[in-house]
Amino acid sequence: MKTLVVFYSRRGTTKRVAQEIAKALNADVDEVIDKKPRKGILGFLRAGYDATRGKTTEIEFEKDPSKYDLVVIGTPVWNGRVTPAIRTYLLQNKDKIKNAAFFCTFAGRAGKCLEQMEKILGKKPLLKKVLIRKRLDEGIKELVEELKTLTGSTL
Ligand SMILES: Cc1cc2nc3c(=O)[nH]c(=O)nc-3n(C[C@H](O)[C@H](O)[C@H](O)COP(=O)(O)O)c2cc1C
């Protein structure tokens, strides 16, 4: 059963989750790069604005999701929403994703991030998980267990 973990991360939190679950599941990892500058105060402000407006962006990634049975997709929450990078990834790859699982990392309010991802993909993910930053270790442990159950039984 081939699993790919795809993520976007501005500050490394979502990256850490993606790397740890990929290791635990023996899965491949692919980082989505947002070509728009997101660093500094201007980058931060633009990030929130673009997420709120539902903007797409220019992205780079390497792996072909159609080669996998399950694609786990992770994003930070920006203004209660999915990031432009993962919005764009989902739009570009929705026909190539057979089965999806979603997770997001956030500081205090996950908003409608995961619901947005589901809507963009156009089908129900097999699993949805929110991970609050202050209890990240706990969240990673739970997510790994849930994904192991999923990959052991459903696929
Ligand atoms: C532009 C911007 C908007 C954010 N909006 C929210 C939000 O609405 N709710 C929340 O809980 N956290 C919000 N955060 C915090 C991030 O979701 C959180 O720190 C996340 O874990 C960062 O992931 P990363 O380190 O992979 O970039 C926001 C962060 C940024 C940069």
Side-chain angles (χ1 to χ4, degrees):
M1 219 276 306
K2 276 187 86 179
T3 303
L4 174 66
V5 182
V6 175
F7 71 95
Y8 167 74
S9 182
R10 178 175 176 266
R11 296 285 303 272
T13 312
T14 316
K15 183 174 190 160
R16 204 191 121 203
V17 178
Q19 286 176 333
E20 291 201 20
I21 59 176
K23 198 171 159 209
L25 295 170
N26 204 10
D28 289 344
V29 194
D30 201 11
E31 178 165 12
V32 178
I33 306 291
D34 190 338
K35 304 283 281 175
K36 245 188 171 179
R38 303 290 186 191
K39 297 252 147 61
I41 189 70
L42 260 183
F44 174 85
L45 291 173
R46 209 182 293 120
Y49 176 85
D50 287 354
T52 301
R53 289 300 185 98
K55 297 245 188 221
T56 54
T57 185
E58 201 187 323
I59 57 167
E60 273 179 7
F61 57 93
E62 283 180 356
K63 303 217 159 54
D64 178 357
S66 70
K67 301 216 155 58
Y68 295 84
D69 304 301
L70 173 68
V71 184
V72 183
I73 304 169
T75 179
V77 173
W78 283 359
N79 289 10
R81 292 164 175 87
V82 66
T83 52
I86 292 299
R87 171 182 291 280
T88 308
Y89 182 87
L90 287 167
L91 286 168
Q92 288 183 7
N93 293 287
K94 58 182 176 184
D95 296 332
K96 296 183 180 173
I97 297 170
K98 293 182 205 109
N99 296 291
F102 296 152
F103 74 89
C104 64
T105 70
F106 69 107
R109 191 182 68 91
K112 48 189 171 187
C113 178
L114 297 183
E115 289 69 26
Q116 282 195 321
M117 290 170 77
E118 181 171 339
K119 207 167 166 198
I120 299 162
L121 184 68
K123 60 186 169 209
K124 272 209 171 310
L126 301 181
L127 192 150
K128 285 194 277 193
K129 180 94 183 160
V130 294
L131 293 94
I132 190 156
R133 225 175 40 192
K134 64 179 175 219
R135 286 199 297 274
L136 203 64
D137 288 339
E138 213 176 304
I140 293 171
K141 229 189 231 171
E142 287 172 13
L143 181 56
V144 165
E145 285 314 309
E146 288 165 28
L147 284 168
K148 276 187 176 166
T149 306
L150 186 72
T151 52
S153 62
T154 317
L155 300 168

